[in-house]
Amino acid sequence: MVPIAITVNGKLRKAHVEPRTLLVHFLREHLNLTGTHVGCDTSQCGACTVLVDGRSAKSCTLFAVQADGSEVTTVEGLAPEGQLHPVQQGFWEEHGLQCGYCTPGMIMSAVNLLKDNPAPSESQIREGIAGNLCRCTGYQHIVTAIQHAARHSGKAAR
Amino acid sequence: MIPVAFEYQRATSVDDAIAKLAASGGGKFIAGGHSLVPLMKLRLSEPAQLIDIARIPGLSGIRASGGRIAIGATTTHYEIAASPLLRDQCPMMAEAATEIGDPQVRNRGTIGGSIAHADPAADFPAVVLALDADIVLKGPTGARTVKASAFFRGFYDVDLGAGELITAIQFAPVKSAGYAKLRQRASHYAVVGVAAALEVSGGVIRSARVGLTGATTHAVRLTSLEAALAGKRADAVAAACAGAANDVADVNADLHASADYRKAMIPVFARRAVERALAR
């Protein structure tokens, strides 16, 4: 077991973990932050996407020890309790989901995209979520949700 | 999926990393981990120890000096794709980085890792071949430099000794260079990827270097295509590229593409890469 200290959603979380503990398991099982999902567990589907030091990463393909000293943002940390981040609001307004399993990862990828490019074209949005698979929606409502978020982000965008 | 247990250490310098690996007995370096971690989860790789080089100061970054560019081994694909220096002086490098995997992969994966791992369908091997890049290595017995053309030797086989670490990729930037690939739709790996770097004057290709990935056990130079392109103008590129696959033997076949299909795509993507290079 090795000691780690990771700032998760603004709060410093210290723990002792086995080096082989994946970041996604640390978040879900040690911190009970179950908003981050395990989908394929093979680095493909993006359901486990979080921000590590401000950039999107697949937390199933990262050991928690690699994130020691980093800042991690999960879907739970995007907006204060009771409020929605503009991207979450976009998914709400445009119904950017069906079963919802991919949604937290989609949202985190969209946050990463809008940080780099606050006014993306439709094709740039599709490239921006290329690392996230959705088996329900056909993606169209996800794209319009992110377009909604881009229009309404303004100062609230992170 | 849970890998076999291992010990984990962070290296504070290149020398520290080399010393830690030498002392580990069966250890491996890890940077972005986007090739290694999936292999460990599938238990295809079971290192007893991981030496994390991702945060070694000075091992990442893109620097220009004396007409050459050096990319530190732990520079991420995202940093390469976003680099104003590369976009200006060697746009093919940034272009190829943009086409690797997906945003999350590009945020974590590193150029040194990609080249050391040498996946037969990885993008950067073709690019560093076309740029005639130097792969800079350091190990227990000191530093050395290997030409990209000598570095890739076979199926996941590179000229990297036990305990050696890639520290940088160095090359003379080429503006007239392009990368074109047929990407596997889910993984975005190259089914066929071609990188072409040209020396052009007065509308004539004076010389060309072309790297091919995805089609064979390891990335290779297409030397007969290089010879065929020399002295050609834009209107003769298509004819020169038609024979691009002629001297490519033992073409890969898998569920994504048959050998015949890959072979048919080599001239197509060679032509696109060369035309992209000429347009710059």
Side-chain angles (χ1 to χ4, degrees), chain A residues 20 41 55-56 58 60 70, chain B residues 1 3 41 55 102 107:
Chain A
R20 62 176 165 172
D41 205 6
R55 299 214 59 82
S56 61
K58 293 178 181 175
C60 83
S70 289
Chain B
M1 292 180 293
K41 290 171 72 177
R55 300 193 194 201
D102 54 52
N107 284 338

Side-chain angles (χ1 to χ4, degrees), chain A residues 19-20 22 41-43 49 52 55-58 60-63 65-66 68 70 109 112 116 127-128 131-132, chain B residues 1-6 8 10 30-31 34 37-38 40-41 50 52 55 78 102-104 107-108 183 188:
Chain A
R20 62 176 165 172
L22 295 165
D41 205 6
T42 54
S43 326
T49 301
V52 179
R55 299 214 59 82
S56 61
K58 293 178 181 175
C60 83
T61 310
L62 196 63
F63 296 116
V65 286
Q66 290 176 275
D68 180 26
S70 289
S109 281
N112 184 81
D116 286 350
E127 287 292 328
N132 295 76
Chain B
M1 292 180 293
I2 312 293
V4 166
F6 58 88
Y8 172 87
R10 265 192 200 172
I30 187 168
H34 271 48
V37 176
M40 290 174 66
K41 290 171 72 177
L50 289 186
D52 192 341
R55 300 193 194 201
Y78 165 75
D102 54 52
Q104 295 97 312
N107 284 338
R108 301 296 307 181
R183 68 183 195 183
H188 295 185

Side-chain angles (χ1 to χ4, degrees), chain A:
Chain A
M1 302 286 254
V2 295
I4 57 170
I6 302 176
T7 302
V8 180
N9 299 333
K11 209 155 117 188
L12 184 65
R13 310 297 292 254
K14 293 183 176 175
H16 283 76
V17 297
E18 265 198 277
R20 62 176 165 172
T21 306
L22 295 165
L23 179 61
V24 68
H25 292 145
F26 176 70
L27 295 170
R28 290 180 55 85
E29 291 160 22
H30 295 241
L31 304 184
N32 290 323
L33 292 170
T34 54
T36 304
H37 293 168
V38 180
C40 69
D41 205 6
T42 54
S43 326
Q44 297 176 69
C45 81
C48 63
T49 301
V50 299
L51 303 186
V52 179
D53 295 323
R55 299 214 59 82
S56 61
K58 293 178 181 175
S59 60
C60 83
T61 310
L62 196 63
F63 296 116
V65 286
Q66 290 176 275
D68 180 26
S70 289
E71 290 191 11
V72 172
T73 305
T74 71
V75 70
E76 292 96 336
L78 283 180
E81 188 70 35
Q83 296 178 37
L84 294 179
H85 182 279
V87 175
Q88 292 172 309
Q89 191 72 42
F91 275 69
W92 173 270
E93 299 292 342
E94 299 291 338
H95 197 65
L97 62 137
Q98 285 182 30
C99 86
Y101 200 86
C102 72
T103 310
M106 283 287 181
I107 287 174
M108 300 313 287
S109 281
V111 170
N112 184 81
L113 169 70
L114 295 180
K115 198 167 57 171
D116 286 350
N117 181 357
S121 66
E122 181 183 334
S123 72
Q124 287 169 331
I125 291 174
R126 290 182 184 275
E127 287 292 328
I129 56 170
N132 295 76
L133 301 182
C134 172
R135 299 279 86 144
C136 311
T137 62
Y139 299 97
Q140 190 53 48
H141 288 306
I142 295 174
V143 172
T144 52
I146 297 169
Q147 287 171 327
H148 185 284
R151 283 197 307 276
H152 292 83
S153 282
K155 283 183 210 142
R158 314 182 170 204

